[in-house]
């Protein structure tokens, strides 16, 4: 890849992700937690971490408040990921994952209430700070109070600043974003099935759904299908991309790794098939890492020659 | 009751108690939490809150650190419960309770690591601040790093300051505390069964266990038996105390309410049978409140005439 132009990863609803290992989860009983692991999380942060691991010039923009907001900001500073969080009065959310053996039981807080004035301030910060960006990635959920049109508004602002925009969102956020004609959307099969009203269970179903996303305004649609890889559809080309080896591990964050590779490849104007091939290898290599927002570079190198691209 | 003399409630391992309501808890899946309730908790804090509701002059002493420690201190200030927390470098723990219908699934963090120097500072603060106390209540667990002899040490210090001491603890903390000859111990039947090595399932079993506690050093032993009330044993008298009505609700904190009434009654030198009777009514009335650390005063007044005291 070429040297990275500036990329902005937006994380409107970051979290302190807390993990509680327990011996066994028994509903309606008390558990002594054997340890407490805590880490800054959120899809936008995962994208930024993978971009940084890829050597990209990535900055995080987001909303943060309270002690857990300060904790998220501190952790990014420690990781040397540049970040600017618009301060809000509410407290940044936490997620709790109870781990017992291979079982992960997750509790997601919705996030702090954001006021209209705070959202206005963010939009203004976003417009100022995406002036020099080549690429903007809009990922994940938004906290209460941020409108469903958030990603549509930010797509419009970023496009006016001359940036390419990738949206990785679901439901009404994605539906509205499509009306602003983002360059790339990257939902997973389950999410896009909800949007188009038809469950997406096969490769061809994913291609059909991706074409529907293009019909609604996206220039490129990538639909991820878990261990089965992803389909990527442009106005000219549809293909299914995957790796030939099954990687065991934690699939959380694999979609974020794919978004990061797509964002960097498009920002660098790398050849499209090379971008797709890197995306398949890096997202599968993210499964090999226990933490979302990281990938095993050796596994990615090992997978790369076995990536399959089927033209449809 | 007479006007309250100064009472100190110790809470070495306070917590931010977080409640997550969910539609249904399904292990190994993701849950969207429909709300986040957050409240300062810990047995010593519950005792202090009930003492305050009883009109007592109660002060909390404890250990607190980090953002959640600050939150606990802020909440007590807001409730106008005087408190002095010895600051520690570690972060005060959180507990998470997942509520679905009547099912409560609880995850308890162990608490922050406390250094030997921090524990020394607490003991010194405790010795200074219990100088004028008539009664000291030692309740609940201790965080990692605080020795198993903690309540034995604090009992000795408080006794040297002329205070009466009530210990509501379990396991090694209680076992060591008994060697320092506290005035009252108040475990529940399950806890005392673990200590004496014989499960306590009946009223007579509870009396036998209470006598064992007196044999090991306590002057008075009260063993609580949930909805069945409690037994109270002194060198002169053994009795079983209960209410004649079943109160539906949340039993968490009923034992802390009983400890508060015993502490206040003994501090005021109220007649013993009046203290026991109030203890039964107030602890049952605590079940009528959804939050630990509160009791329904109307329910307590309503229950009081129906309290039964059986001499054994």
């Amino acid at each position: 890849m070429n040297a990275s132009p500036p990329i902005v990863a937006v994380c409107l609803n970051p979290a302190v992700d807390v993990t509680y290992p327990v011996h066994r989860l028994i509903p309606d009983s008390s558990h002594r937690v054997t340890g407490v692991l805590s880490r800054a999380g959120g899809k936008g942060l995962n994208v930024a971490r993978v971009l940084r691991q890829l050597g990209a010039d990535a900055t995080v923009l987001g909303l943060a408040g309270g002690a857990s907001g300060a904790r998220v900001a501190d952790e990014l500073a420690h990781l040397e990921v540049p970040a600017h969080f618009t301060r809000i009065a509410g407290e940044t959310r936490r997620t709790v994952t109870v781990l017992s053996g291979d079982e992960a039981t997750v509790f997601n807080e919705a996030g702090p209430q954001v006021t209209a004035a705070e959202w206005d301030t963010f939009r203004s910060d976003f417009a100022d700070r995406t002036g020099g960006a080549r690429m903007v990635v809009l990922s994940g959920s938004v906290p209460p109070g941020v409108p469903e049109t958030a990603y549509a508004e930010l797509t419009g602002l970023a496009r006016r600043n001359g940036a390419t925009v990738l949206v990785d969102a679901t439901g009404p956020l994605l539906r509205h974003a499509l009306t602003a004609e983002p360059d790339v959307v990257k939902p997973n099969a389950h999410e896009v099935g909800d949007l188009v009203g038809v469950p997406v269970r096969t490769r061809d179903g994913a291609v059909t759904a991706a074409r529907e996303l293009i019909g609604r305004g996206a220039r490129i649609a990538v639909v991820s299908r878990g261990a089965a890889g992803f389909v990527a559809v442009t106005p000219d080309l549809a293909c299914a991309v995957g790796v030939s080896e099954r990687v065991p591990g934690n699939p959380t964050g694999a979609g974020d790794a794919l978004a990061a590779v797509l964002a960097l490849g498009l920002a660098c104007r790398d050849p499209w098939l090379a971008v797709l091939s890197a995306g398949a290898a890096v997202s599968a290599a993210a499964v090999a890492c226990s933490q979302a927002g990281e990938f095993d570079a050796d596994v990615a190198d090992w997978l790369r020659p076995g990536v399959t691209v089927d033209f449809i």
Side-chain angles (χ1 to χ4, degrees), chain A:
Chain A
M1 281 177 186
N2 305 314
S4 168
I7 301 177
V8 167
V10 168
C11 194
L12 291 174
N13 206 7
V16 174
D17 287 333
V18 178
T19 301
Y20 286 161
V22 300
H23 178 61
R24 194 173 146 220
L25 172 57
I26 304 171
D28 207 18
S29 74
S30 274
H31 303 75
R32 190 169 288 262
V33 170
T34 55
V36 181
L37 307 171
S38 170
R39 187 167 185 265
K43 285 173 70 69
L45 261 54
N46 293 341
V47 170
R49 283 197 191 101
V50 172
L51 281 169
R52 179 158 177 78
Q53 197 181 342
L54 290 165
D57 170 10
T59 301
V60 170
L61 297 184
L63 299 167
S68 46
R71 175 130 188 204
V72 166
D74 285 352
E75 189 172 320
L76 287 180
H78 187 73
L79 294 170
E80 296 176 3
V81 176
H84 176 81
F85 287 100
T86 301
R87 287 180 66 101
I88 55 174
E91 171 123 10
T92 289
R93 71 192 171 123
R94 301 166 68 94
T95 70
V96 172
T97 299
V98 177
L99 262 190
S100 55
D102 285 346
E103 271 192 15
T105 308
V106 182
F107 302 97
N108 289 309
E109 297 182 10
Q113 188 69 39
V114 175
T115 66
E118 289 168 339
W119 173 239
D120 280 349
T121 304
F122 177 81
R123 283 192 307 186
S124 165
D125 287 349
F126 176 86
D128 290 347
R129 288 170 185 268
T130 53
R134 174 85 62 84
M135 165 65 72
V136 171
V137 184
L138 306 172
S139 297
S141 70
V142 302
V146 172
E148 291 180 347
T149 53
Y151 287 165
E153 294 175 45
L154 299 183
T155 297
L157 290 170
R159 295 285 294 272
R160 279 200 281 288
N161 275 338
T164 301
V165 178
L166 185 154
V167 176
D168 184 3
T170 67
L173 281 170
L174 174 58
R175 184 161 44 81
H176 287 289
L178 287 165
T179 66
E181 304 190 350
D183 298 278
V184 194
V185 294
K186 195 219 73 49
N188 67 35
H190 177 73
E191 293 159 355
V192 79
D194 284 349
L195 187 78
V196 301
V198 181
V200 172
R201 298 205 180 92
T202 62
R203 191 189 77 167
D204 289 349
V207 171
T208 303
R211 289 208 166 105
E212 165 90 21
L213 295 173
I214 289 173
R216 293 196 191 187
R219 188 166 64 85
I220 299 175
V222 174
V223 175
S224 55
R225 301 179 57 229
F230 58 87
V231 302
V233 178
T234 70
D236 311 316
L237 183 74
C239 52
V241 188
V243 294
S244 48
E245 304 284 340
R246 182 110 189 181
V247 179
N250 173 18
T252 310
D256 301 326
L258 175 57
V261 173
L262 295 173
L264 180 58
L266 289 166
C268 292
R269 297 175 182 133
D270 288 332
W272 182 233
L273 291 182
V275 174
L276 296 182
S277 171
V282 169
S283 64
V287 175
C289 284
S290 60
Q291 302 274 26
E294 296 172 13
F295 67 96
D296 186 318
D298 292 336
V299 170
D301 288 344
W302 172 71
L303 291 168
R304 189 70 178 267
V307 169
T308 56
V309 181
D310 293 334
F311 297 94
I312 298 162

